[in-house]
Amino acid sequence: MIKFNKPYMSGKELYYIAESVLSGKISGNGIFTKRCQEFFCEKYGFKKVLLTTSCTDALEMAAILLDIQPGDEVICPSYTFVSTCNAFVLRGAKIRFADSEDHHPNVDVASIESLIGPKTKAIVVVHYAGHACDMDAIMQLADKHNLFVVEDAAQAVDSFYKGKPLGSIGHLSAFSFHETKNIIAGEGGMLVVNDERFEKRAEIIWEKGTNRTAFFRGEVDKYGWVDVGSSFLPSEIVAAFLFAQLENLDDIQSRRKLLWDHYFENLSTGAGKGYFQLPKVPNYATNNGHMFYLVCRSIEERSRLITYLKERHILTVFHYLSLHKSPFYGEKHDGSELPNCDRYADQLLRLPLYYNLELEQVAMISSLILEFFELDLIEC
Ligand SMILES: Cc1ncc(COP(=O)(O)O)c(C=O)c1O
């Protein structure tokens, strides 16, 4: 069976976990947390980074930092994971859903402006498959209307927009190290603070509403309850695991991109014949090899392709369901149609992509996909 995902292990995860256990300090904000945070600051020039227990938590921190209140409106893509929106809904926000682009699952910037009103507080963008949204256009729109921008960079580690690292452009950004991502910690995440107005408060919210981090730096002589907050920081065990991954980031990225390119080359004949669409990386974006997907011509065809591949021991999976039609939020949506989002929900199919996948397996999966469409053509 070729699985959809297999977590990558560098081999040093247990070694660093042992180091942290033997150090006698395994709660959060210790040596490995600092090493991971410094890694991101040095490699990508992020000014302030806080590891979190998930991207969901980092998004919840963002919602607290932006002081989202009941009645505020937040614009989000409908084609995304629930956490993108849930973090803001938890603070009482109303979500206004934007459609995806015709040629990419990323948010269609043109569809955002009409959603902006007097109650709008923030725009949240998702860099789908690690491909950048059009950040210049989004930041201009936000500046014009005095809004905050949060980058949901869950899938976007080591990817760039016009040379700028994703996660460094919005006021705040959230990354995921869930085991399905390029760099993993089982469950894990990170908040990046690009607007220095939020730096001090972010540390407090991170540490349960206390000024404990400032205390450890010797800035105050005792620490206490100074604001709202929660336990957003991961233990040192998680950070130790993550550090072993970060040391291998360049190797992981080049392997994933190689596999991605191999899929693209092998499948381009099928795209040329109109069987499906291949990912189109915008010219202002880089590809971080996070995900390889096809867009089928219909949901029925996608279901048949999933079954065809499963019968041949290959697991492929679809992705998000339209949030504007979800059981939880469907009735609260303004009723507008979001056809591109619905198309990706119905027709997008993700193929296996992980470090230990072999090039021969990519070739085999690709030829089975082409075979499926050729056979389908004969049967029709
Ligand atoms: C776009 C997006 N945002 C947020 C998340 C949540 O990430 P986590 O599982 O780290 O909380 C995911 C999960 O895959 C995601 O795809």
Side-chain angles (χ1 to χ4, degrees):
M1 182 65 85
I2 299 183
K3 291 185 173 181
F4 170 67
N5 179 55
K6 265 193 202 167
Y8 162 85
M9 301 292 158
S10 76
K12 281 189 87 175
E13 285 80 1
L14 292 177
Y15 175 83
Y16 286 139
I17 288 173
E19 192 181 322
S20 105
V21 170
L22 293 171
S23 79
K25 154 89 180 158
I26 54 168
S27 60
N29 201 5
I31 285 166
F32 281 102
T33 300
K34 288 193 181 67
R35 279 192 202 164
C36 292
Q37 292 178 170
E38 276 164 22
F39 176 93
F40 283 105
C41 292
E42 275 163 27
K43 187 156 177 87
Y44 301 111
F46 297 151
K47 286 195 212 88
K48 180 78 186 167
V49 165
L50 293 169
L51 288 194
T52 56
T53 50
S54 62
C55 181
T56 303
D57 266 3
L59 289 163
E60 287 178 22
M61 285 184 71
I64 298 172
L65 281 166
L66 298 185
D67 200 23
I68 300 294
Q69 301 287 331
D72 287 343
E73 292 187 3
V74 174
I75 298 170
C76 298
S78 178
Y79 193 68
T80 185
F81 192 63
V82 293
S83 301
T84 314
C85 303
N86 230 346
F88 298 89
V89 169
L90 271 170
R91 314 232 66 81
K94 178 174 169 46
I95 304 299
R96 303 294 313 274
F97 289 111
D99 204 1
S100 296
E101 292 182 286
D102 180 45
H103 61 280
H104 197 284
N106 277 348
V107 70
D108 177 7
V109 185
S111 78
I112 294 180
E113 192 150 25
S114 63
L115 299 174
I116 298 175
K119 294 182 181 165
T120 312
K121 195 110 182 236
I123 302 169
V124 188
V125 297
V126 176
H127 303 299
Y128 189 77
H131 304 155
C133 295
D134 188 356
M135 291 309 292
D136 281 350
I138 288 159
M139 296 311 287
Q140 273 164 23
L141 202 56
D143 279 353
K144 182 172 155 196
H145 296 275
N146 203 17
L147 305 175
F148 291 113
V149 173
V150 178
E151 291 176 73
D152 181 337
Q155 306 169 8
V157 73
D158 197 47
S159 205
F160 298 81
Y161 171 78
K162 296 184 181 172
K164 291 184 199 160
L166 295 187
S168 70
I169 306 166
H171 298 84
L172 298 164
S173 305
F175 285 83
S176 175
F177 305 122
H178 182 264
E179 73 166 13
T180 49
K181 304 300 186 293
N182 295 25
I183 302 295
I184 63 172
E187 302 279 351
M190 171 171 88
L191 178 77
V192 179
V193 181
N194 297 315
D195 183 329
E196 60 184 27
R197 286 175 294 175
F198 297 121
E199 280 186 14
K200 283 266 146 61
R201 191 160 182 245
E203 284 183 350
I204 291 167
I205 290 166
W206 189 58
E207 276 269 28
K208 299 125 182 148
T210 73
N211 52 352
R212 196 159 171 251
T213 310
F215 172 72
F216 283 139
R217 277 199 302 262
E219 292 166 12
V220 288
D221 58 4
K222 54 183 181 304
Y223 75 87
W225 188 14
V226 293
D227 201 338
V228 293
S230 192
S231 188
F232 287 118
L233 72 173
S235 85
E236 278 289 284
I237 295 173
V238 171
F241 188 105
L242 182 65
F243 189 67
Q245 298 263 317
L246 292 177
E247 283 187 325
N248 292 278
L249 185 135
D250 292 338
D251 179 38
I252 295 170
Q253 292 301 92
S254 56
R255 177 76 193 164
R256 293 188 73 109
K257 284 190 251 182
L258 179 74
L259 294 163
W260 197 101
D261 289 344
H262 212 55
Y263 267 130
F264 196 89
E265 279 157 30
N266 284 313
L267 289 166
S268 44
T269 51
K273 290 179 181 169
Y275 295 158
F276 45 74
Q277 283 172 5
L278 290 177
K280 290 193 185 87
V281 184
N283 54 13
Y284 47 71
T286 58
N287 175 33
N288 69 349
H290 172 60
M291 179 199 304
F292 197 89
Y293 65 83
L294 305 175
V295 184
C296 297
R297 293 175 294 199
S298 68
I299 189 167
E300 294 75 23
E301 196 169 52
R302 183 180 72 178
S303 305
R304 280 188 285 116
L305 178 57
I306 292 173
T307 309
Y308 187 82
L309 293 171
K310 198 169 176 188
E311 284 167 359
R312 285 150 187 84
H313 312 293
I314 296 156
L315 291 184
T316 56
V317 288
F318 52 84
H319 210 183
Y320 308 129
L321 302 177
S322 300
L323 292 182
H324 69 286
K325 292 184 170 168
S326 60
F328 178 63
Y329 219 85
E331 284 186 5
K332 301 179 193 79
H333 176 57
D334 62 19
S336 60
E337 298 285 327
L338 305 176
N340 292 331
C341 168
D342 289 341
R343 183 161 48 84
Y344 291 115
D346 286 349
Q347 299 172 26
L348 185 145
L349 184 66
R350 294 180 293 161
L351 307 184
L353 202 166
Y354 48 87
Y355 186 94
N356 289 316
L357 191 67
E358 301 294 336
L359 289 175
E360 295 71 33
Q361 290 176 309
V362 170
M364 191 259 286
I365 296 166
S366 305
S367 36
L368 283 172
I369 291 172
L370 294 174
E371 181 183 283
F372 166 83
F373 282 97
E374 302 286 349
L375 286 174
D376 226 34
L377 211 62
I378 298 165
E379 279 166 21
C380 293

